[in-house]
Amino acid sequence: MAATSEAMSAAHATATKLITALEGVIRGRSDTIKLVVTALIADGHVLLEDYPGSGKTTLSKTLGRLIAPDEAASSRFPSTAVDPIVPFRRIQFTPDMLPGDVLGVNIFDPKSGSFSFMHGPVFAHIVLADEINRTGPKVQAAFLECMAEKQVTMDNATRPLDQLFFVLGTQNPLDIAGTYPLPQVQLDRFLLKVPMSYVDADTECSILENHAAIRQGSTSVQAVCKRSDILAARGVCEQVHISPALREAMVEIVQATRGNPLIQFGASTRAALMLQTATRSWALINGRDHAHEDDLRAIAPFVLLHRLRFHAGAGDAHKALELIMQPAMEKLVRRGL
């Protein structure tokens, strides 16, 4: 069932409000902001490969503040008067962390003689998983369930995370000392992987000149939408039209990565599904109720590159992927899509 024009307009307005508000605080990162909002609306997670001091914490924290909660704690957590889910949490991953440091722990109360669960920092709308590749495989594995199933299992008890749950993971592309490279199964949980580069000189001058105002703006920013608006936009995103020809092109691209001499192993069916979802979301935030060839071309590298393992002789991964995509994209152009 197709979404109504009113619902489509409301979803686009929600995305636009978030992008505009973020651009008012984060300077020179329009492309990154647009991709982050794309993943948020698509109900996926983002891995930022960034340099230290690039503004990832400010971006994440501001995004959390821009989304207002709209449910009482009693409706979701009837056993407590305090909602354990907060708008934003930052988790600094370290080699000595344990799963309980992220998920939460059961605390014994000697007075009542029973255990009570202390919610971990993963119980939030927006979670900044900072330097996620610095923690050990045990914590990484525990984080998998959160990202894939939106739930936490501790001591045979499963607790749901919020429907909005959105992870912004980061890893430093320069410093590999003391890191545990993310396994392919972990990388596959991120809808998009977004490399961040340095801002240009003019933008950096503007940041230096207006740093006090930017810092104040990041802490005083007001919510521009509600949690329910994001969830509604996600529902609309699923209704963005994908033509049969465009879907065939997605399948052709994914199929072309398998058995390709440039690639050790190709993209999975899950990758194809995520490519479709991300393409829909990209079209939606650009104000359209249907996706076309330019949407697929724009979003495909951020969906596929971290899911592919190229041979050493493949050269530049971006150019190799363009070469793989070229036949399918040319076919779309010839068909006028």
Side-chain angles (χ1 to χ4, degrees):
M1 179 177 173
T4 64
S5 58
E6 292 81 6
M8 192 69 64
S9 297
H12 176 243
T14 296
T16 301
K17 289 176 184 176
L18 288 172
I19 292 170
T20 302
L22 286 168
E23 288 178 340
V25 175
I26 312 297
R27 308 294 175 88
R29 300 291 186 188
S30 295
D31 292 343
T32 299
I33 288 170
K34 199 171 181 181
L35 287 166
V36 167
V37 174
T38 295
L40 176 67
I41 300 300
D43 196 10
H45 307 293
V46 176
L47 179 62
L48 299 176
E49 190 169 65
D50 68 329
Y51 300 98
S54 60
K56 61 184 180 299
T57 301
T58 303
L59 189 155
S60 307
K61 191 177 295 185
T62 303
L63 181 59
R65 288 175 173 146
L66 290 173
I67 304 170
D70 56 6
E71 288 188 60
S74 58
S75 63
R76 288 184 293 165
F77 302 94
S79 62
T80 178
V82 179
D83 192 341
I85 293 181
V86 298
F88 171 80
R89 279 281 188 257
R90 177 180 181 271
I91 307 174
Q92 176 61 58
F93 285 92
T94 58
D96 60 346
M97 288 185 74
L98 298 174
D101 297 327
V102 175
L103 308 181
V105 293
N106 283 308
I107 304 296
F108 180 72
D109 183 359
K111 292 183 179 179
S112 64
S114 62
F115 286 89
S116 61
F117 184 71
M118 179 178 292
H119 294 80
V122 77
F123 286 86
H125 293 158
I126 311 295
V127 174
L128 173 60
D130 210 0
E131 297 185 300
I132 192 173
N133 59 330
R134 285 205 174 278
T135 194
K138 185 180 292 187
V139 178
Q140 289 181 2
F143 210 56
L144 275 177
E145 182 186 18
C146 303
M147 296 178 65
E149 307 295 335
K150 292 190 179 182
Q151 63 185 30
V152 168
T153 300
M154 290 288 291
D155 296 335
N156 295 323
T158 299
R159 296 173 175 83
L161 297 170
D162 192 78
Q163 283 182 279
L164 181 58
F165 180 65
F166 176 66
V167 174
L168 270 167
T170 74
Q171 60 180 11
N172 191 331
L174 297 178
D175 186 6
I176 61 172
T179 61
Y180 301 82
L182 295 179
Q184 202 66 27
V185 67
Q186 182 88 43
L187 288 171
D188 198 47
R189 293 300 187 269
F190 289 99
L191 174 64
L192 305 179
K193 181 183 178 184
V194 182
M196 293 177 69
S197 57
Y198 293 117
V199 297
D200 58 52
D202 290 339
T203 301
E204 201 154 31
C205 284
S206 175
I207 292 172
L208 293 177
E209 181 181 358
N210 302 288
H211 179 247
I214 293 172
R215 184 172 55 187
Q216 182 179 359
S218 67
T219 57
S220 62
V221 67
Q222 299 296 313
V224 297
C225 64
K226 294 183 178 181
R227 169 184 173 276
S228 57
D229 296 329
I230 304 297
L231 299 182
R234 288 177 176 177
V236 172
C237 179
E238 295 176 358
Q239 306 305 320
V240 172
H241 179 66
I242 299 285
S243 68
L246 189 61
R247 187 172 288 112
E248 288 171 9
M250 294 177 186
V251 172
E252 185 175 337
I253 291 169
V254 170
Q255 292 275 340
T257 66
R258 303 167 187 168
N260 190 291
L262 299 176
I263 299 175
Q264 293 182 24
F265 54 83
S268 65
T269 302
R270 179 191 290 156
L273 289 169
M274 288 192 167
L275 181 58
Q276 177 175 261
T277 301
T279 302
R280 279 181 162 139
S281 184
W282 186 260
L284 176 60
I285 69 171
N286 282 286
R288 285 179 276 102
D289 62 358
H290 63 283
H292 55 54
E293 174 255 342
D294 288 339
D295 300 315
L296 177 57
R297 189 190 303 275
I299 206 69
F302 302 103
V303 177
L304 295 178
L305 280 176
H306 64 289
R307 293 184 163 85
L308 303 175
R309 184 69 59 84
F310 289 88
H311 287 291
D316 182 81
H318 288 82
K319 292 181 179 179
L321 180 60
E322 287 179 7
L323 184 65
I324 292 169
M325 291 176 57
Q326 186 174 347
M329 302 309 295
E330 288 179 348
K331 188 183 299 184
L332 278 178
V333 172
R334 288 196 299 268
R335 298 174 70 170
L337 298 172

